[in-house]
Amino acid sequence: MEKRTFYVSVQGRSLLEDPGAAAYEWEVQATRQEADTLSHMLEQLGEKEESGFLAFTYPWPDTPEGDVNRSYDSHLNALYREIYRLGTVKTRAQMERSGFAAQL
């Protein structure tokens, strides 16, 4: 399959084909299937964030804070690993300079 350039905004939870459509943080080269997977991961991140918010809004006394955050952190790290894997040379260099690559 042919790879195309996509623009990823983790903050905006979006995967764009047009760099002028909205702000983005990272450029990746991906097939349509890889782009779909990345888009799904971004959606899941939003869901994890919402469920974490609810856990803090309506806390269970026997659920430690670390347990609430663990799922979100794990998913966020997996997302950044995928962005790094698919990233352009510029994206990888930017992630390495900012310390993201060392955490992956």
Side-chain angles (χ1 to χ4, degrees), residues 55-97:
F56 284 115
T57 305
Y58 305 104
W60 291 95
D62 61 343
T63 305
E65 186 176 319
D67 290 349
V68 173
N69 290 331
R70 192 168 293 117
S71 177
Y72 176 81
D73 288 345
S74 175
H75 193 77
L76 184 62
N77 287 336
L79 175 61
Y80 277 118
R81 278 192 299 275
E82 188 68 2
I83 291 170
Y84 184 82
R85 185 181 77 79
L86 298 172
T88 61
V89 171
K90 178 182 170 185
T91 292
R92 287 181 177 202
Q94 185 179 359
M95 290 179 97
E96 289 166 4
R97 276 192 312 272

Side-chain angles (χ1 to χ4, degrees), residues 12-73:
R13 309 288 185 263
S14 61
L15 182 69
L16 311 164
E17 293 185 56
D18 176 9
Y24 64 91
E25 296 95 43
W26 315 105
E27 286 182 21
V28 297
Q29 293 285 314
T31 64
R32 174 49 62 189
Q33 183 177 0
E34 290 168 331
D36 289 345
T37 298
L38 200 53
S39 183
H40 182 69
M41 291 177 82
L42 287 162
E43 288 173 23
Q44 285 182 320
L45 185 64
E47 292 170 10
K48 300 273 184 204
E49 190 174 63
E50 288 173 14
S51 67
F53 174 76
L54 288 174
F56 284 115
T57 305
Y58 305 104
W60 291 95
D62 61 343
T63 305
E65 186 176 319
D67 290 349
V68 173
N69 290 331
R70 192 168 293 117
S71 177
Y72 176 81
D73 288 345

